[in-house]
Amino acid sequence: AARLTLDGLAHNAAITNLSILKTPFVSGSFRFDVPVATDDGLLSVNLCDGMTRDEALRTLFDLSHGRFLGRPKRRHWQVATLTVDAAAPFSVELDGEVFTAARATFSVLKERIGVCG
């Protein structure tokens, strides 16, 4: 359970998975069908909220075919800032590095980083 604050608006969630992107690709052939632009200053936030194991597996199958939107318990936002607050520490993975936090804030820096794709 966590509270997401998206550009100042709060949303309570039972996070199954939370992906914060600047590209539609997650890993290998997994990709989202959400709008993402490298130069708009916005994060693409994709939430799987309170899913069962079968729903999570279906989401993985869908992501392997480039589908995410339009299914129950899946949410998408485009925001400038996101803060995640949880009562218990959670794992955060950033570009292959994993660390633990009870609070994390994400935003886009004005500097532009080139991404190979």
Side-chain angles (χ1 to χ4, degrees), residues 70-92:
R71 295 267 189 178
K73 301 183 181 180
R74 299 181 192 180
R75 300 283 311 267
H76 166 74
W77 298 271
Q78 288 184 279
V79 297
T81 62
L82 165 68
T83 299
V84 181
D85 287 294
F90 55 91
S91 296
V92 179

Side-chain angles (χ1 to χ4, degrees), residues 8-9 11-12 24 27 30 41 43 46 49 61-62 65 67 69 79 81 84 88-89 91 98 108:
L9 299 174
H11 176 80
N12 291 322
S27 177
F30 294 113
L43 298 167
N46 303 288
D49 193 1
F61 176 81
D62 285 349
H65 292 86
R67 296 186 301 256
L69 297 174
V79 297
T81 62
V84 181
S91 296
V98 179
V108 177

Side-chain angles (χ1 to χ4, degrees), residues 30 55-65 67 74:
F30 294 113
E55 290 167 331
L57 288 172
R58 176 61 192 202
T59 300
L60 286 174
F61 176 81
D62 285 349
L63 288 173
S64 73
H65 292 86
R67 296 186 301 256
R74 299 181 192 180

Side-chain angles (χ1 to χ4, degrees), residues 1-115:
R3 176 184 284 285
L4 307 180
T5 305
L6 304 120
D7 284 346
L9 299 174
H11 176 80
N12 291 322
I15 298 174
T16 302
N17 186 66
L18 182 65
S19 295
I20 305 156
L21 308 169
K22 280 307 292 171
T23 173
F25 302 98
V26 181
S27 177
S29 65
F30 294 113
R31 65 191 184 284
F32 285 86
D33 59 343
V34 298
V36 179
T38 58
D39 60 354
D40 63 0
L42 299 175
L43 298 167
S44 179
V45 178
N46 303 288
L47 171 66
C48 297
D49 193 1
M51 290 186 170
T52 65
R53 181 178 303 199
D54 287 344
E55 290 167 331
L57 288 172
R58 176 61 192 202
T59 300
L60 286 174
F61 176 81
D62 285 349
L63 288 173
S64 73
H65 292 86
R67 296 186 301 256
F68 180 77
L69 297 174
R71 295 267 189 178
K73 301 183 181 180
R74 299 181 192 180
R75 300 283 311 267
H76 166 74
W77 298 271
Q78 288 184 279
V79 297
T81 62
L82 165 68
T83 299
V84 181
D85 287 294
F90 55 91
S91 296
V92 179
E93 187 267 329
L94 293 169
D95 198 26
E97 299 294 324
V98 179
F99 61 93
T100 303
R103 183 173 213 256
T105 299
F106 303 88
S107 63
V108 177
L109 299 176
K110 289 183 181 180
E111 296 80 16
R112 189 169 178 175
I113 299 172
V115 178

